[in-house]
Amino acid sequence: MAGSIVLAFSAGAQAQTKWDLPSAYPASNFHVENLTSFIKDVDTLSQGKLKITLHNNASLYKAPEIKRAVQGNQAQIGEILLTNFANEDPVYELDGLPFLATGYDASFKLYQAQKPFLEKKLNAHGMTLLYAVAWPPQGIFANRDIKQVSDMKGLKWRAYSPVTAKIAELVGAQPVTVQQAELAQAMATGVIDSYMSSASTGYDTKTYEYIKKFYDTQAWLPKNAIIVNKKAFDALDPATQAALKKAGAQAEERGWKLSQEKNKWYQQELAKNGMETIQPTAELKSGLSEIGKRMLDDWLKKAGADGQAMIDAYKKQ
Ligand code: PCA
């Protein structure tokens, strides 16, 4: 009875649209906290016309499947880790390259240089970019003493993207691709003993239960992007489209701040739980930046004129 009354009311008022939003990260993650606020903002700004349901922790789609789900409109909106899709197009790889942009300011500049090309690529596949937010700087989690790149030989290295797998190869480690949702299990079962990521992921996956050292290399800041199916977007009325865009712009601004603020908190939590944060030696830094240079050269060869234009736009800022 009650159900049919509610139905009658909502059908009588303006039509309501329901979207699904898959994310691969857990509720404790700052990206997901930000998504939760974004969804509330969309509800308020659209005056209840657009209702988005969050499916976090890879519960609806696994991380590598989310982009295709949005492209096919199985999910109308979704969160992707851009660098996961490096094999599809070099534009997705750019913010996953080590030592190209290492702090938040540089990463934001890199984003501005990358954005028009990212938008073009997504549009060509029936999607649009709503916003993107950087993960905190990437460091190395390992139990070993690592003073130079050669100390990483033979590590069982968890990779989350083609780039992190490539780094493993270049340092002589054995890459195993594992997405964050399966990372705790991979550590518990000994499938991997090291990886490169942020303090945020170290916290989300309780890495301190298995690994005791975090080398704070600040190597790069990959981004998560919120992408929308274009047909689903075009089907919204103009006021709802504007509401979505506004909430997206707010989420982008809030997300970049949250990433920085919570990174400090995540690092404190890691320390409280017995993880030692170690500053990388000069040898380790220079070894890794050599690898970064090689990877950038390879990237520029693949990315052609667009790639050069992105790097030039980045350096000009
Ligand atoms: N965490 C994600 C990607 C980048 C990051 O900091 C992960 O480790 O899967």
Side-chain angles (χ1 to χ4, degrees), residues 68-81:
R68 210 172 33 203
V70 175
Q71 186 170 356
N73 210 12
Q74 285 92 17
Q76 295 65 46
I77 182 168
E79 182 183 45
I80 61 167
L81 174 65

Side-chain angles (χ1 to χ4, degrees), residues 273-284:
N273 285 286
M275 174 118 33
E276 189 189 353
T277 293
I278 300 167
Q279 292 313 312
T281 62
E283 289 98 307
L284 179 59

Side-chain angles (χ1 to χ4, degrees), residues 47-301:
Q47 295 171 333
K49 283 212 263 172
L50 181 55
K51 298 277 185 196
I52 299 177
T53 304
L54 176 67
H55 306 269
N56 68 12
N57 215 14
S59 57
L60 191 59
Y61 294 102
K62 289 188 192 307
E65 298 165 353
I66 294 176
K67 184 163 162 287
R68 210 172 33 203
V70 175
Q71 186 170 356
N73 210 12
Q74 285 92 17
Q76 295 65 46
I77 182 168
E79 182 183 45
I80 61 167
L81 174 65
L82 290 170
T83 187
N84 256 346
F85 302 94
N87 290 340
E88 286 181 22
D89 193 278
V91 70
Y92 297 121
E93 184 173 353
L94 184 61
D95 54 295
L97 292 174
F99 295 103
L100 175 61
T102 57
Y104 280 94
D105 289 347
S107 289
F108 193 76
K109 285 180 183 160
L110 187 66
Y111 174 36
Q112 302 316 305
Q114 182 187 25
K115 203 174 181 176
F117 295 90
L118 204 51
E119 275 172 342
K120 202 167 92 187
K121 191 88 249 163
L122 288 167
N123 288 345
H125 291 102
M127 294 172 278
T128 60
L129 174 70
L130 192 61
Y131 72 84
V133 170
W135 286 89
Q138 308 286 292
I140 303 166
F141 291 97
N143 282 322
R144 254 194 220 172
D145 279 333
I146 301 175
K147 296 210 161 65
Q148 56 205 3
V149 161
S150 59
D151 294 334
M152 292 192 268
K153 270 205 189 95
L155 283 173
K156 289 192 270 178
W157 178 278
R158 172 258 176 171
Y160 61 75
S161 64
V163 187
T164 47
K166 184 78 196 164
I167 294 173
E169 273 169 36
L170 292 172
V171 304
Q174 298 161 21
V176 187
T177 299
V178 180
Q179 294 305 322
Q180 183 174 319
E182 281 95 40
L183 179 52
Q185 202 191 349
M187 288 186 284
T189 54
V191 169
I192 63 111
D193 59 17
S194 54
Y195 70 97
M196 224 168 161
S197 186
S198 59
S200 162
T201 292
Y203 173 80
D204 282 343
T205 58
K206 296 197 169 68
T207 291
Y208 44 77
E209 291 183 356
Y210 314 97
I211 299 177
K212 303 296 178 193
K213 295 185 172 99
F214 179 62
Y215 295 89
D216 192 11
T217 54
Q218 312 218 355
W220 72 96
L221 290 80
K223 290 187 293 295
N224 275 2
I226 304 304
I227 55 172
V228 177
N229 179 281
K230 227 174 146 320
K231 279 199 192 120
F233 181 81
D234 290 343
L236 300 172
D237 63 58
T240 307
Q241 290 180 347
L244 184 72
K245 281 195 172 167
K246 184 164 182 200
Q250 287 171 351
E252 180 163 286
E253 210 185 314
R254 187 177 52 231
W256 282 79
K257 284 195 197 122
L258 200 58
S259 180
Q260 295 188 59
E261 284 162 18
K262 277 210 83 178
N263 188 35
K264 293 187 196 118
W265 184 85
Y266 289 130
Q267 284 181 315
Q268 285 164 7
E269 288 299 308
L270 293 183
K272 263 194 221 161
N273 285 286
M275 174 118 33
E276 189 189 353
T277 293
I278 300 167
Q279 292 313 312
T281 62
E283 289 98 307
L284 179 59
K285 269 203 240 171
S286 72
L288 287 171
S289 72
E290 272 312 307
I291 287 175
K293 271 186 211 134
R294 264 174 77 177
M295 292 179 75
L296 179 60
D297 283 347
D298 289 347
W299 184 85
L300 279 165
K301 277 179 210 142

